[in-house]
Amino acid sequence: QVQLVESGGGSVQAGGSLRLSCVVSGYTYSRACMGWFRQAPGKAREGVAVINSEGSTSYANAVTGRFTISKDYAENTLYLQMNSLKPEDTATYSCAMRSGYCRGRSLSEDDYNYWGQGTQVTVSS
């Protein structure tokens, strides 16, 4: 079956960096739309960054200029490079995939049908 497994979370001080990874298994089409989402305690899950089948990306305003989403198509692995981290970036980060080819760059969780279990990112001031 399809599995998405995240790694790379941890605890850092404000201004630091982390790189999240999401390995996809059980799904051979490596150009599916994929995205990173996060959920802080007591808050709704929000879209952070997405990459579509053509490699185009989109970011939430809160992370634009600090986060970079990328994909290793050969390894079917999604990445999120997070720089200049802020305490408000603290959340559980999950990767998600929308099966098949897509041109959209939706940050809505409703548009994704496979999810990872999440990895915790904690940023201290």
Side-chain angles (χ1 to χ4, degrees):
Q1 75 258 23
V2 178
Q3 285 190 315
L4 281 64
V5 180
E6 303 96 335
S7 62
S11 297
V12 296
Q13 290 191 325
S17 298
L18 283 173
R19 188 193 195 201
L20 306 183
S21 301
C22 171
V23 178
V24 180
S25 61
Y27 192 76
T28 57
Y29 181 58
S30 65
R31 289 194 171 267
C33 278
M34 294 197 70
W36 287 99
F37 293 77
R38 67 185 182 186
Q39 186 167 23
K43 294 188 177 181
R45 184 157 56 186
E46 62 175 350
V48 173
V50 299
I51 183 167
N52 70 7
S53 298
E54 298 174 349
S56 294
T57 59
S58 184
Y59 298 89
N61 289 338
V63 306
T64 297
R66 301 188 297 122
F67 291 10
T68 303
I69 188 171
S70 61
K71 184 90 180 284
D72 183 330
Y73 296 104
E75 298 294 327
N76 210 357
T77 300
L78 183 73
Y79 298 100
L80 184 69
Q81 178 67 44
M82 305 186 295
N83 298 328
S84 302
L85 283 161
K86 303 176 181 180
E88 52 263 44
D89 294 319
T90 296
T92 298
Y93 285 71
S94 301
C95 62
M97 183 177 73
R98 173 178 174 172
S99 53
Y101 177 89
C102 79
R103 289 183 177 177
R105 295 177 291 170
S106 173
L107 288 170
S108 171
E109 61 180 309
D110 294 336
D111 291 326
Y112 296 83
N113 50 346
Y114 294 102
W115 291 84
Q117 82 289 349
T119 185
Q120 179 66 36
V121 171
T122 302
V123 185
S124 58
S125 57

